[in-house]
Amino acid sequence: MARPKESAAKSVVILGGGIGGIAAANRLRRRLGSQHRITIINRYPEFSFAASYLWVMSGQRKPSQITRPLAGLQRRGIELVIGSIDEIDPINRKVTVQGTEITGDHLIVSLGADYSTASIPGLDQAGMTFATLKGAEALGSSIAGFDRGKLVILTAAPLYRCPAAPYEAALLIDAMLRRKGVRGQVDIELHAAEPAPLALAGSNVSDAVKEILRQHSIDYYPSHQVASAETGRISFTDGETEKFDLLGYMPPIKPPSALSTSALAGSTGWIDVDPNSLLTQFPGVYAIGDNTNIPLKIAKPLPRAGVFAHSQALVVADNIASTIKGNSPTATFDGHGGCFLESDFHRASYASGNFYADPSPKVKTKPPSRRSHLAKVVFEYNVMRRWL
Ligand SMILES: Cc1cc2nc3c(=O)[nH]c(=O)nc-3n(C[C@H](O)[C@H](O)[C@H](O)COP(=O)(O)OP(=O)(O)OC[C@H]3O[C@@H](n4cnc5c(N)ncnc54)[C@H](O)[C@@H]3O)c2cc1C
């Protein structure tokens, strides 16, 4: 049988230089010859690894250790455009970046999610978020100077990036205060908008996380939706109020602004994709990571997590490379993924499984161990040293 013939030079344009975008670009570069162009467009010239923000908060990392210039991609033959994407025309596979039009034979949309902190009046003034690098650093400094009172961790909406992160934040703060010898003088409360920790993963996982919180004397208040906040006080939608001395929060998210005028946005404002191929309704246009809406069998969306953005990136890159080489695209994203939950400075639990399982995700959790903590360190190492 004759080998399929590789097509003439093609271009792949990747929207967003976060976890999904960078993983896709690297994989494509390895799969495709240098005649094919791979371009990544990102608003900012630097990448920072969000999964390590909480290590910045806890003093285990400096911001410079988890930040890299995207320009490093150019050494690998990946073209880089720094600028804000204002419009996406999926029919013509064309994007407009500050007035300049860029067209690709294939588009991969990986623009993440925008924060909508302003949807909770007073929240940004009342507390600090650990969901940005600057916020995590600032909260860490405040905790370093905090030795008495009530510290509240809040999830400001049920939908946010990384379901484990607020729980991890509470546990790492507990570890920071213990190390300082002031834990006995600080009450830690976690008020969550969602009904249970990592609820999508099932009650086994939720119960395991609740037990870890209990062992660390962190008081947990689920289904407690914040309505507004002011200095020292939070008001909840059930009419209750809570005083605090220090507030750290996970902000709500909304679809990235570049989607607001694009036909790519589905009825939810996020991008609808085929759950296995990540292809949108537009030929040659794929979407991966946080900006997608992938309903699970339990009618909730696949969690926003870097581990999924990464796996999806590899599937999409492999299928685009196959198509360009004249082969059938056969790679499939099967819904498997895992999530680390750091429980102190040296140990993490690990919940992993199949989120596409029917009738509900099948996820198992491993109790806190040094091994899982080291696995997260290795993941971080690979991203920071091998991707950029
Ligand atoms: C505190 C915290 C801890 C986390 N921990 C973990 C963890 O342990 N494990 C895990 O799996 N996940 C974790 N996550 C989630 C993970 O970071 C995200 O799910 C992941 O980054 C999603 O990848 P992405 O490529 O979809 O989006 P992103 O990584 O957010 O990348 C999107 C990129 O698009 C760019 N962009 C957006 N709009 C435009 C525009 N208009 N023009 C140009 N560029 C634009 C952005 O600047 C950004 O660089 C964590 C998140 C947070 C906040």
Side-chain angles (χ1 to χ4, degrees):
M1 204 167 77
R3 272 175 67 116
K5 230 174 140 194
E6 188 154 346
S7 66
K10 296 283 182 193
S11 60
V12 185
V13 177
I14 301 169
L15 285 59
I19 290 183
I22 296 172
N26 276 304
R27 181 77 153 211
L28 278 163
R29 195 64 290 165
R30 279 199 293 275
R31 293 274 187 272
L32 290 174
S34 56
Q35 73 273 29
H36 303 294
R37 293 177 67 184
I38 299 159
T39 305
I40 203 162
I41 308 171
N42 198 61
R43 189 184 270 146
Y44 305 114
E46 290 197 321
F47 165 81
S48 65
F49 186 48
S52 298
Y53 288 176
L54 293 173
W55 282 340
V56 170
M57 179 195 77
S58 62
Q60 292 162 275
R61 295 286 183 281
K62 294 190 174 70
S64 59
Q65 291 175 291
I66 62 154
T67 307
R68 290 280 180 279
L70 285 170
L73 292 167
Q74 291 169 314
R75 284 196 301 273
R76 297 171 186 211
I78 296 161
E79 295 174 38
L80 178 65
V81 175
I82 300 299
S84 186
I85 297 163
D86 301 319
E87 282 169 43
I88 308 168
D89 168 1
I91 297 170
N92 297 302
R93 296 188 296 277
K94 185 174 76 184
V95 297
T96 309
V97 184
Q98 293 167 319
T100 303
E101 290 182 352
I102 300 173
T103 308
D105 296 301
H106 304 266
L107 294 189
I108 303 176
V109 187
S110 190
L111 292 169
D114 286 356
Y115 292 131
S116 64
T117 309
S119 63
I120 308 291
L123 185 59
D124 60 342
Q125 302 295 320
M128 279 169 267
T129 184
F130 44 84
T132 63
L133 183 53
K134 276 200 169 138
E137 200 181 4
L139 182 59
S141 301
S142 294
I143 295 166
F146 191 70
D147 53 17
R148 183 178 297 273
K150 191 196 285 183
L151 193 154
V152 169
I153 295 295
L154 185 74
T155 69
L159 185 66
Y160 52 83
R161 293 170 81 205
C162 189
Y167 298 91
E168 199 169 72
L171 289 161
L172 285 175
I173 290 170
D174 167 76
M176 292 166 78
L177 296 171
R178 281 180 201 276
R179 183 177 270 182
K180 267 202 333 165
V182 299
R183 180 65 176 92
Q185 295 150 215
V186 178
D187 292 328
I188 305 179
E189 292 184 2
L190 201 168
H191 292 260
E194 62 276 14
L198 285 75
L200 280 185
S203 56
N204 287 351
V205 177
S206 292
D207 290 347
V209 177
K210 280 193 253 181
E211 176 55 21
I212 297 172
L213 294 176
R214 196 193 60 72
Q215 286 166 4
H216 290 253
S217 304
I218 294 165
D219 295 328
Y220 181 52
Y221 301 89
S223 300
H224 215 194
Q225 175 63 57
V226 59
S228 64
E230 58 191 90
T231 307
R233 209 161 97 127
I234 314 167
S235 302
F236 294 92
T237 52
D238 62 7
E240 280 186 20
T241 58
E242 195 65 58
K243 289 187 177 167
F244 64 83
D245 299 296
L246 189 58
L247 174 67
Y249 66 88
M250 181 56 113
I253 53 171
K254 60 181 179 182
S257 59
L259 292 181
S260 62
T261 54
S262 174
L264 259 184
S267 58
T268 57
W270 304 95
I271 308 173
D272 296 325
V273 288
D274 176 276
N276 301 117
S277 69
L278 291 314
L279 193 55
T280 67
Q281 58 172 309
F282 302 97
V285 182
Y286 299 79
I288 57 174
D290 287 3
N291 62 192
T292 59
N293 174 52
I294 304 182
L296 302 178
K297 299 291 180 201
I298 50 170
K300 303 265 187 209
L302 182 72
R304 268 69 177 180
V307 65
F308 295 127
H310 175 223
S311 313
Q312 293 167 354
L314 303 187
V315 166
V316 167
D318 286 354
N319 283 341
I320 291 176
S322 295
T323 306
I324 288 175
K325 290 175 173 178
N327 298 321
S328 303
T330 53
T332 287
F333 173 63
D334 62 7
H336 279 81
C339 151
F340 298 102
L341 193 146
E342 296 284 306
S343 51
D344 58 32
F345 292 130
H346 309 291
R347 292 177 313 151
S349 10
Y350 185 61
S352 66
N354 179 6
F355 284 77
Y356 281 0
D358 197 359
S360 58
K362 280 199 171 53
V363 182
K364 283 192 180 154
T365 180
K366 287 187 187 161
S369 70
R370 177 124 183 99
R371 192 189 175 92
S372 293
H373 166 74
L374 291 176
K376 179 160 175 174
V377 172
V378 169
F379 182 49
E380 179 198 51
Y381 178 88
N382 284 334
V383 173
M384 300 313 298
R385 298 292 164 99
R386 300 207 173 144
W387 289 16
L388 286 164

